[in-house]
Amino acid sequence: MNLGTIPDVWTWLTDGSNWSGADGAWQRVTEHVFLTVTSLGLACALALPIALWLGHVGRGGALAINISNAGRAVPTFAVLVLLTMSPLGKHGDWATTIALVLFAVPPLLTNAYVGIREADRDVVEAARGMGMSGRQLLSRVEVPLAFPLIMAGVRSAAVQVVATATLAALPGGGGLGRIITAGFQTYDTPQVVAGAVLVALLALAVEGLMVVVGHLVDPLRKRAVRGAAAAPGADAVPPATGGTGAAEVRQPEKSAAP
């Protein structure tokens, strides 16, 4: 692409006729977002419980990670084409969705498992010594400690799904890839570049959204906020230690003897 194409790309993006209708950009964005949300949701429901449990018990995790990572060696487009040619291809976007789920599982599984295994063992053992059950230990201690790494895996999977969902257009699926393939068919370079720009912008938007969501739902951050909210009330209580800051207890003065 040469620099002279940039004004044509801008013209395509700002032309309202390219955004309306059944084949317009808004429709393609909606299809792309639906594919992303559906695939990511299914991948999280499949990978995260397995990874959290394997990380908690400490057995079988390495094998599961190696198996899931082996799937990365298989080209996503090849899987997509094979699934489309199978009976699943007759059921809407299910072939594309399953291919995207398989692509999203490895980062989710790996990050969640490693996050649980790398949780501070001193904290975990202290919680175990307090009598917490295995379920309580996982939900109240290990998951909060591993949350940043878990969310990093979710964020990575989300961005990868957004980018890979573009391939859904090649076997006839929906999404922003249809804009790119239509541009190739008509030798319309500005349309091809505009479609790529929309995919990149959507990926950046998803990345930013995941960062915000991770910040808002972080269990450790919530506990810190609750502790900070309780601090002003605690400040009103005089310190119980000695020294200059200690509270002085005044005894009633005895009157002098007559």
Side-chain angles (χ1 to χ4, degrees):
M1 184 188 72
N2 55 48
L3 295 178
T5 309
I6 296 178
D8 296 331
V9 174
W10 178 254
T11 301
W12 193 97
L13 289 172
T14 55
D15 187 349
S17 62
N18 293 326
W19 290 83
S20 59
D23 295 328
W26 279 123
Q27 176 63 25
R28 299 309 181 194
V29 169
T30 302
E31 294 171 351
H32 209 101
V33 171
F34 178 78
L35 277 174
T36 299
V37 172
T38 303
S39 303
L40 184 63
L42 291 174
C44 288
L46 175 65
L48 291 183
I50 296 174
L52 296 179
W53 177 249
L54 291 176
H56 174 68
V57 300
R59 294 190 300 271
L63 177 62
I65 289 175
N66 289 332
I67 293 175
S68 67
N69 287 337
R72 294 184 177 184
V74 180
T76 306
F77 180 64
V79 175
L80 184 57
V81 171
L82 290 175
L83 290 175
T84 303
M85 295 174 62
S86 70
L88 286 172
K90 301 177 182 179
H91 300 279
D93 291 327
W94 274 109
T96 302
T97 301
I98 292 175
L100 293 176
V101 167
L102 295 176
F103 186 70
V105 162
L108 292 170
L109 188 65
T110 301
N111 279 47
Y113 174 79
V114 172
I116 295 296
R117 294 308 303 163
E118 292 187 354
D120 192 329
R121 304 324 296 175
D122 291 337
V123 176
V124 173
E125 292 304 321
R128 195 190 308 276
M130 293 172 61
M132 282 190 176
S133 65
R135 187 182 300 272
Q136 291 174 329
L137 192 65
L138 178 62
S139 61
R140 298 183 184 181
V141 179
E142 292 176 325
V143 169
L145 290 175
F147 184 80
L149 197 54
I150 295 173
M151 277 305 301
V154 174
R155 189 166 66 248
S156 174
V159 174
Q160 289 180 11
V161 168
V162 170
T164 309
T166 310
L167 297 176
L170 297 177
L176 290 171
R178 291 292 293 273
I179 296 176
I180 298 174
T181 55
F184 277 126
Q185 292 172 359
T186 58
Y187 300 98
D188 189 345
T189 302
Q191 180 174 338
V192 173
V193 177
V197 169
L198 290 176
V199 173
L201 291 176
L202 182 59
L204 290 174
V206 169
E207 171 82 10
L209 179 62
M210 290 292 103
V211 171
V212 173
V213 170
H215 180 71
L216 293 177
V217 303
D218 188 341
L220 295 181
R221 175 184 172 275
K222 286 185 175 181
R223 293 177 187 176
V225 170
R226 287 196 295 267
D235 290 341
V237 180
T241 57
T244 57
E248 295 181 2
V249 180
R250 296 182 178 275
Q251 302 292 336
E253 296 181 0
K254 296 180 180 180
S255 56

